[in-house]
Each structure stands twice: as C-alpha cells, then as structure tokens.
C-alpha cells in the first residue's frame, strides 16, 4: 500500500483553507500565494488582509480567468503585517522585484527608452543620459524612462547652455580649467573653483526641469533677476534673463488645452494585445506637457492592475515635489484608494486619482491611449519579424520546435593576454541582458603570447553546463535555464572542441549546437564537414548574426575593461603598502587614477581602509618632491 504525499491545493481542502483564512488578521500588510513546489506565484497588499485574501476563495466573487487559474494552484498562504498601508505598498513593490511571481504584473525593462541620471551621491553631481537604471547608490536619482531620446538629449544640451555645469568627465589640464570656464559654461569644477554646496544649487535648478517644475523655476529666477536689477547688478540680471529665455524655449509649443492649467496632473493609459501592454504616462504641469514616459508589461492581468503597478513603480522613487495633485487613469485601479492615500501622505497635499468619462480630461486620456497604441503597433511589428526569423531558423536547422532561448558564445583576447569569454542570451529573438554572463579564462596554458580559442571555448561550455553533468537527475529539457540552441562564434574547429566536451559530459544528445563563421556567414553542424546551404539575408541567418555580433561585442567590452583595470592597477602596484583590495577601494571611490592623483591626503584618508600614513604614501607617489 502506498500513501500519497502530494500536496493538494487549498480549494480541494476546504477545512484547511478555512482554518488558514481564520488565522489571517484584519490588518494592513502583504500576502503571499505559494504553489505545490513552494514557489511564490502571487504577492499582493491590502488594508485588511483577511478580507482581501478571503475574497479570492469566495464562490460568488467575480474572478478573472487569470485569478481563477491562480487560485486553483495555491497550496499555502503567508502574510506579513505592517503598521501602515504605505509600508505595505513599499514592501509589496520590493518583494515583487525580488521574487518575480508569475501571476503578478511584471514591468519589463525596455532598453529602447533612456533615463536621465543625477549622481547626488557625489560632491559635484554628474548629469548624464543612460539606458541602464541601476541603483548603485541610494542618493542617485533617475528620471524617466523618456520615449523621445532625441528630445531628451536636446533638453540636456540646452540645460548645459543655460546653467554652467561640469562639461567633461575628467579634467583636461592638471593645474587650470579648460576653455569652458572662460566661456561661462563651467564654474571650474575640475579645479574646485566652486564649492560643492554652490554647485549643488545649480544642479538642483536643472533637476527642477526634469521634475516638471520649469514654471516654478522661472518664477524663482524672475525674482532673482528683479532683485539683481534693483541692486544695479545688471550683469547678473542679464545672465538670469538669458536663463529664463532658455527655459521658456524648452516648453514652447507644448501647451495642452485643459480648463485648469494651474493643477499639476499625470495622465496614464495603455494599449494591449495578448502578449504585451504598452503604457504611456503624460506629465502635465501648468498646462504644459513636460514629460512623456513609457512602460512595458505582460498582459496576463486586468488592465487596471497593470496601470496600478506602473504608477506604483513610477512614484516609488519620486520626490514629493514630483507627485501631482491629480492623476487621470484610463481604468479604475484595484487599490487606487491605498495609492492615493500613500501619495497624499508623501506630498503633504490631497492627491486625487480619477477615471474621467467626459469632456476635456477624457479627451486627454484618449490622446494618451492613442500614443500607447502607436507604440504597441511598433512592438507588434518587431515581434512579427522576430517570429519570422525564429521560424526560419527552426527550418534551417531542422528543429522540432521554434527555439525560445538562444545562447551565443565568443572569446576575446590579445595574443592570449586577458582572455575572456561571453555568454549572451536571446529570448524569443530579443536580447535578455539579465542572463548575460562573463567568464575569465582559467586555463593555465592560455597566457600572453599563447592563445587557444578551442580550449577556451571548451572550458566555458564545461563551466556553463557543469551542474547538469554533475547531477544527472537535474531537470534539463523544459528548464528555463536550458537553451534550445547554442551558437559558437567560429568555424569547424571551434565547434568540434565544444562538441567534444559536451560528449564527455553526456549532454550532446540534449543540446543543439552550431557555429557561425565570420568570413562567409557559414553555419556548421556537428559532424558535418561542409556548411549548410543558406542565404546570408535569410531571416534565420540574420538572427544568428545578431546573436553572434552581440556575443562578440559583449566579449570585447569585457576584455577592454579587464585590460584597462590591469593598466590602472599596474600604476598603483608601485605604491608600497597598497595591495589589490585597497586598490579596488580607491578606484571604486575616485573612479579613475587621474582623480586619485588630484586628491589631497585628507580626501585619500576618507576612503575606508586607507589611513593617514598610506594616504601620504599615495600622495607622495603622485607628487614627488
């Protein structure tokens, strides 16, 4: 007789379900839904945990198909009680990012859209455009993502002309400022001719532009201009006048017709198909469109829940001055009251979230939706091209199914020195950079003057799939980490070395591997002496070329970084008492050897692990008597 140990879902065990629901308190907090494999499949928040969780299992509750499917899978419910709804909102957002539950709305990081970053963590903050939103330091601030990269670059360019700020990432001269200082475009940051406090005041004015507070900034500058004129400081008044004129040009021809142009408001809407939802958020301040942001999400949730998730993500890191007092939404939000209360507390003023049904505000939502629809059409065309390329690739390689996960590998070195490898991943034909990986080649025979791409590729493939070889019981096919196709950058030799190591690991039967030669774009299969007969312009071949080029780019960039770090360390290696760990601390703090050379002994001593004595040694090395 065998006893089943299978864990049943809660809906199939009414008594256990009722007992579990009774244990959940009627307080604010966050709840987790787990499946039979103990995976978190949904995370939610509520003002009253017991009422919200119980509603999922109520027979008469009008559940969507997505929620109904999720409820059937739930085997356990957990919760975390918080003191306030604001804490529940913040906790839910952090947990969703950490666990990425399948049934939650997951916003996708579309690399098409750029952000503006201000590094408030530095004494002299930098302002730059980036497509990587990485919160390395808590004080750094990101604005965006902006849908129009060209317009964003133009605004940054104008801000550099309107307000004097640091124009170069590194000083051009050791003992004097560059020409930008004489032209009035830089206040002499490189030579510290302006204090950090005064420079941060300039950057704060620029930040107001990206916070949608341009009119408020113009009003402040107008008062300063009038005060300067009254004190007969006409040169300063003229400079401020020019700044005001430049700021007005930023928002020219961006007027949005609304009955009350004194109210700050955001309007958000989306357009969706079966796979994706494209979300647009218009920021309107004083009747002017000051920003147009974009988000992408999956669509296995209700449309209102998608808008709610986008708003929570957007306002999570926003300053209080950036929060509008009115938010127009296309669909009712499932937890709109909680979000409105939290934003009201943070702003210190009443924040209203409403779904307009008529007149001008409804027309504004229609305009935002129309823009979202255009973006969805662009994404659909891109998806159609990718689908065609993957189907063509499956036909070329005689694959049983259309490949979902493609992996590409390449080696980069200079005559064997600083040899590295790259692993890049495409999911459904698009780069999935969260799965990219670098490898440092450990083979002792690969040294300066002696390269071996065959052995290097074999090493990387062996390290990549080692866990599957060591544990034969580990699930392979169907695993999200398991590739449908491996592409090696090279010809028959590179492919043969990879095939040999996969045979030794008993993995060759489960993996499809090919190589793509650069010279003629030829595709080689294991055991075949001649390449496949293909057209270089076929969609499938072009997809492999994109994968190969991305693997090459990623490998080369990592190789250059390693070579650059080695050159930096070679200079610091000459300083007595400065080991590798302290070199990393110094470079992490000052970013470059040039900045280390310019630092004073007191600034050097501020770095953790660098005491006054070692700081003096470093200073003496760069400033010999």
């Amino acid at each position: 007789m065998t006893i089943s140990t299978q864990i049943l879902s809660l809906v199939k065990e009414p008594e256990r379900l009722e007992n579990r629901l009774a244990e959940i308190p009627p307080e604010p907090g966050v709840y987790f839904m787990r499946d039979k494999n103990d995976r978190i499949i949904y995370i939610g928040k509520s003002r009253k945990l017991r009422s919200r969780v119980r509603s999922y299992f109520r027979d008469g509750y009008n559940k969507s198909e997505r929620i109904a499917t999720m409820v059937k899978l739930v085997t356990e419910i957990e919760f975390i009680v918080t003191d306030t709804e604001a804490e529940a909102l913040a906790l839910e957002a952090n947990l969703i990012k950490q666990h990425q539950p399948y049934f939650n709305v997951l916003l996708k990081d579309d690399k098409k859209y750029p952000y503006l970053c201000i590094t408030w963590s530095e004494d002299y903050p930098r302002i730059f455009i980036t497509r990587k939103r990485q919160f390395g330091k808590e004080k750094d601030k990101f604005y965006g993502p902006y849908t129009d990269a060209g317009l964003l670059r133009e605004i940054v360019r104008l801000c550099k002309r309107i307000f004097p700020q640091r124009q170069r990432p590194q000083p051009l001269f050791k003992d004097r400022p560059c020409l930008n200082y004489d032209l009035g475009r830089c206040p002499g940051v490189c030579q510290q001719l302006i204090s950090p406090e005064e420079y941060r005041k300039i950057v704060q004015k620029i930040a107001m532009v990206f916070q949608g507070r341009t009119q408020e900034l113009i009003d402040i500058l107008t008062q300063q201009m009038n005060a300067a004129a009254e004190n007969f400081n006409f040169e300063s008044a003229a400079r401020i006048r020019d700044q005001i004129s430049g700021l007005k040009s930023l928002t020219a021809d961006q007027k949005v017709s609304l009955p009350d142009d004194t109210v700050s408001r955001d309007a958000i809407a989306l357009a969706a198909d079966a796979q994706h939802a494209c979300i647009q958020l218009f920021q309107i301040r004083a009747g002017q469109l000051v920003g147009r942001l974009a988000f992408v999400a999956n669509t296995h949730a209700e449309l209102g829940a998608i808008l709610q998730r986008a708003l929570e993500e957007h306002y999570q890191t926003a300053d209080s001055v950036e929060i509008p007092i009115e938010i127009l939404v296309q669909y009712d939000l499932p937890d709109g009251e909680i979000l409105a209360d939290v934003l009201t507390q943070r702003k210190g003023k009443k924040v209203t979230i409403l779904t307009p049904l008529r007149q001008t505000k409804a027309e504004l939502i229609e305009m935002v939706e129309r823009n979202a629809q255009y973006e969805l059409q662009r994404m659909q065309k891109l998806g159609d091209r990718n689908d065609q390329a993957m189907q063509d690739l499956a036909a070329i390689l005689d694959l049983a199914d259309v490949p979902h996960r493609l992996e590409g590998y390449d080696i980069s070195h200079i005559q064997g020195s600083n040899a590295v490898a790259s692993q890049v991943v495409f999911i459904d034909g698009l780069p999935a950079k969260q799965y990219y990986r670098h490898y440092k080649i450990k083979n002792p025979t690969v040294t300066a003057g002696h390269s071996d791409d065959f052995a290097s590729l074999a090493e990387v493939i062996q390290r990549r799939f080692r866990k599957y070889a060591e544990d034969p019981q580990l699930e392979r096919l169907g695993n999200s980490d398991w590739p449908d196709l491996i592409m090696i950058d090279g010809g028959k030799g590179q492919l043969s070395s990879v095939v040999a190591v996969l045979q030794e690991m008993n993995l060759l039967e489960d993996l499809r591997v090919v190589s793509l030669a650069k010279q003629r774009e030829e595709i080689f299969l294991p055991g075949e002496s001649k390449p496949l007969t293909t057209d270089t312009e076929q969609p499938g071949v072009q997809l492999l070329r994109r994968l190969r080029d991305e693997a090459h780019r990623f490998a080369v960039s990592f190789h250059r970084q390693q070579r650059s770090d080695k050159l930096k360390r070679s200079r610091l290696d000459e300083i007595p008492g400065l080991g590798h760990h302290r070199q990393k601390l110094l470079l992490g703090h000052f970013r470059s050897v040039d900045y280390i050379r310019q630092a004073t002994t007191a600034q050097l001593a501020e770095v953790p692990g660098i005491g006054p004595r070692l700081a003096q040694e470093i200073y003496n090395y760069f400033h010999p008597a």
Side-chain angles (χ1 to χ4, degrees):
M1 179 179 177
T2 59
I3 300 176
S4 174
T5 58
Q6 182 180 3
I7 301 176
L8 298 178
S9 63
L10 288 174
V11 293
K12 294 182 179 180
E13 295 186 277
E15 184 176 350
R16 186 165 71 93
L17 171 62
E18 189 58 37
N19 291 336
R20 188 59 179 140
L21 293 176
E23 295 171 352
I24 301 175
E27 298 184 37
V30 176
Y31 56 91
F32 307 75
M33 304 286 197
R34 292 184 180 270
D35 65 5
K36 64 180 181 180
N37 297 317
D38 201 37
R39 292 177 301 196
I40 297 176
I41 59 175
Y42 187 77
I43 297 175
K45 63 181 175 303
S46 179
R47 285 179 170 178
K48 295 183 179 180
L49 285 171
R50 180 183 297 170
S51 300
R52 171 59 61 83
V53 176
R54 185 178 291 275
S55 68
Y56 287 100
F57 300 92
R58 194 177 299 133
D59 291 336
Y61 184 64
N62 185 21
K63 295 188 283 285
S64 66
E65 183 178 349
R66 177 185 70 97
I67 294 297
T69 302
M70 181 196 74
V71 168
K72 294 176 182 178
L73 300 176
V74 175
T75 60
E76 184 55 86
I77 304 169
E78 298 177 4
F79 59 88
I80 297 176
V81 174
T82 59
D83 292 333
T84 65
E85 296 145 10
E87 291 178 2
L89 185 68
L91 179 59
E92 180 204 34
N94 292 332
L95 290 173
I96 289 176
K97 288 181 180 179
Q98 177 183 350
H99 296 286
Q100 298 281 296
Y102 177 78
F103 287 96
N104 279 96
V105 176
L106 303 178
L107 296 180
K108 299 182 179 181
D109 185 13
D110 192 330
K111 299 300 187 295
K112 172 181 179 289
Y113 301 126
Y115 294 83
L116 181 102
C117 178
I118 301 180
T119 57
W120 290 110
S121 58
E122 301 176 2
D123 290 340
Y124 294 95
R126 292 175 296 125
I127 301 173
F128 59 91
I129 297 173
T130 178
R131 295 180 187 269
K132 296 181 180 180
R133 191 183 186 193
Q134 298 175 342
F135 292 96
K137 296 185 178 179
E138 185 178 352
K139 293 182 180 179
D140 292 350
K141 180 69 178 176
F142 288 83
Y143 299 92
Y146 292 93
T147 60
D148 192 334
L151 179 60
L152 177 60
R153 285 192 292 268
E154 179 64 16
I155 292 175
V156 172
R157 186 188 68 81
L158 285 174
C159 285
K160 285 187 176 182
R161 295 182 68 89
I162 295 170
F163 299 103
Q165 58 183 290
R166 181 166 67 178
Q167 303 284 331
R168 303 180 62 87
Q170 294 184 6
L172 188 62
F173 306 107
K174 179 181 178 180
D175 54 353
R176 60 186 175 88
C178 65
L179 185 61
N180 285 312
Y181 176 75
D182 298 313
L183 294 175
R185 293 185 178 179
C186 175
V189 173
C190 61
Q191 303 302 319
Q192 298 183 352
L193 301 179
I194 182 174
S195 67
E197 293 75 18
E198 290 300 316
Y199 186 73
R200 293 172 78 89
K201 291 179 182 178
I202 296 175
V203 177
Q204 185 58 58
K205 293 177 181 177
I206 300 172
M208 291 177 70
V209 174
F210 294 95
Q211 292 169 347
R213 302 165 61 198
T214 307
Q215 186 57 49
E216 180 182 343
L217 177 59
I218 290 175
D219 293 341
I220 294 173
L221 291 175
T222 301
Q223 294 177 1
Q224 294 177 355
M225 179 184 67
N226 294 335
E230 290 175 0
N231 294 326
F232 304 104
N233 190 350
F234 299 114
E235 183 178 349
S236 176
R239 185 173 63 254
I240 298 174
R241 178 203 60 200
D242 294 340
Q243 291 177 344
I244 294 173
S245 176
L247 287 170
K248 288 181 178 180
S249 70
L250 287 178
T251 54
D253 301 324
Q254 292 188 21
K255 196 75 173 177
V256 177
S257 178
L258 286 175
D260 186 359
D261 61 4
T262 63
V263 174
S264 63
R265 52 171 58 89
D266 285 352
I268 186 169
L270 59 79
D273 60 13
Q275 287 81 35
H276 302 100
C278 292
I279 307 151
Q280 296 268 312
L281 188 147
F282 281 30
Q283 298 172 302
I284 301 165
R285 304 293 183 267
Q288 292 179 330
L289 178 62
V290 300
R292 184 163 71 98
L293 311 182
F295 308 89
V296 181
N298 52 36
T299 53
H300 61 231
E302 293 84 355
L303 299 183
I306 295 175
L307 294 179
Q308 170 110 16
R309 183 75 187 92
L311 289 173
E312 291 173 355
E313 173 80 10
H314 172 63
Y315 294 123
Q316 186 180 19
T317 57
D319 295 332
S320 60
V321 294
E322 300 172 50
I323 301 173
I325 63 175
E326 185 176 272
I327 303 172
L328 307 180
V329 296
Q330 181 186 16
Y331 301 103
D332 292 335
L333 307 183
D335 292 306
E337 292 183 4
I338 294 179
L339 180 60
D341 290 345
V342 170
L343 295 180
T344 297
Q345 294 174 15
R346 288 177 53 192
K347 187 170 183 64
K349 295 181 180 179
K350 176 68 174 177
V351 175
T352 304
I353 300 177
L354 57 94
T355 308
L357 299 177
R358 61 174 69 91
Q359 296 181 343
T360 310
K361 293 180 180 180
E363 292 174 357
L364 175 60
I365 287 292
E366 290 177 1
M367 181 181 71
V368 180
E369 180 184 359
R370 193 160 60 250
N371 282 270
Q373 187 65 47
Y374 288 132
E375 187 62 21
L376 179 64
Q377 292 172 2
R378 181 197 66 84
M379 182 172 290
Q380 288 170 339
K381 290 179 180 178
L382 181 60
D384 292 340
R385 287 197 297 268
N386 286 329
D387 290 342
Q388 182 184 0
M390 290 186 293
Q391 291 173 7
D392 186 53
L393 182 60
I396 292 172
L397 302 178
D398 195 24
L399 301 177
D401 297 306
V402 174
H404 169 65
R405 178 184 174 113
L406 310 179
E407 292 187 2
Y409 294 85
D410 191 19
I411 304 294
S412 181
H413 58 83
I414 295 181
Q415 295 183 345
S417 65
N418 300 113
V420 297
S422 66
Q423 170 196 321
V424 301
V425 178
F426 279 20
I427 301 293
D428 294 333
L430 295 175
K433 295 192 176 182
Q434 66 271 32
Y435 300 120
Y436 283 21
R437 184 177 175 184
H438 285 130
Y439 295 86
K440 293 182 181 179
I441 301 303
K442 300 179 180 179
N443 191 328
T445 65
V446 179
T447 57
H450 185 274
S451 61
D452 191 338
D453 287 359
F454 299 165
S456 298
L457 282 168
E459 174 191 332
V460 170
I461 294 299
Q462 192 274 336
R463 288 164 61 183
R464 164 67 175 91
F465 296 99
R466 179 169 49 203
K467 64 180 180 180
Y468 293 100
E470 293 175 349
D471 185 2
Q473 302 300 321
L474 190 63
E475 186 179 2
R476 299 176 187 176
L477 300 179
N479 192 315
S480 61
D481 186 43
W482 188 263
D484 299 303
L485 180 68
I486 295 174
M487 189 281 306
I488 304 298
D489 185 3
K492 291 185 292 185
Q494 286 85 350
L495 179 61
S496 297
S497 64
V498 169
V499 168
V501 73
L502 288 176
Q503 284 178 329
E504 293 176 6
M505 301 168 72
N506 295 321
L507 298 176
L508 187 58
E509 293 184 0
D510 294 332
L511 284 169
R512 286 301 303 268
V513 55
V514 301
S515 68
L516 182 64
K518 285 188 177 72
Q519 189 171 9
R520 298 179 181 176
E521 309 294 359
E522 295 174 327
I523 301 174
F524 289 92
L525 300 180
E528 299 291 338
S529 59
K530 295 183 178 180
L532 291 175
T533 302
T534 57
D535 181 353
T536 57
E537 299 305 315
Q538 279 185 255
V541 178
Q542 289 182 337
L543 175 58
L544 279 185
R545 286 166 58 184
R546 290 200 301 270
L547 181 65
R548 188 269 316 281
D549 293 345
E550 179 69 353
H552 180 71
R553 180 200 65 79
F554 198 51
V556 169
S557 64
F558 185 49
H559 170 69
R560 287 173 178 166
Q561 176 190 331
Q562 294 296 304
R563 196 174 67 218
S564 175
D565 290 347
K566 186 176 181 180
L567 290 173
K568 291 176 183 177
R569 287 196 297 270
S570 66
R571 297 182 63 187
L572 299 178
D573 282 339
E574 300 175 7
I575 303 175
L578 189 62
H580 178 65
H581 176 66
R582 287 174 174 172
Q583 290 177 23
K584 289 178 63 177
L585 293 175
L586 273 174
L587 290 171
H589 183 84
F590 289 103
R591 304 295 178 93
S592 75
V593 175
D594 290 333
Y595 284 135
I596 295 175
R597 184 181 65 246
Q598 297 171 29
T600 64
T601 53
Q603 291 171 330
L604 291 167
E606 292 176 357
V607 179
I610 307 294
R613 181 180 299 178
L614 183 54
Q616 191 63 49
E617 288 278 358
I618 298 170
Y619 184 84
N620 292 340
Y621 172 80
F622 288 109
H623 303 83

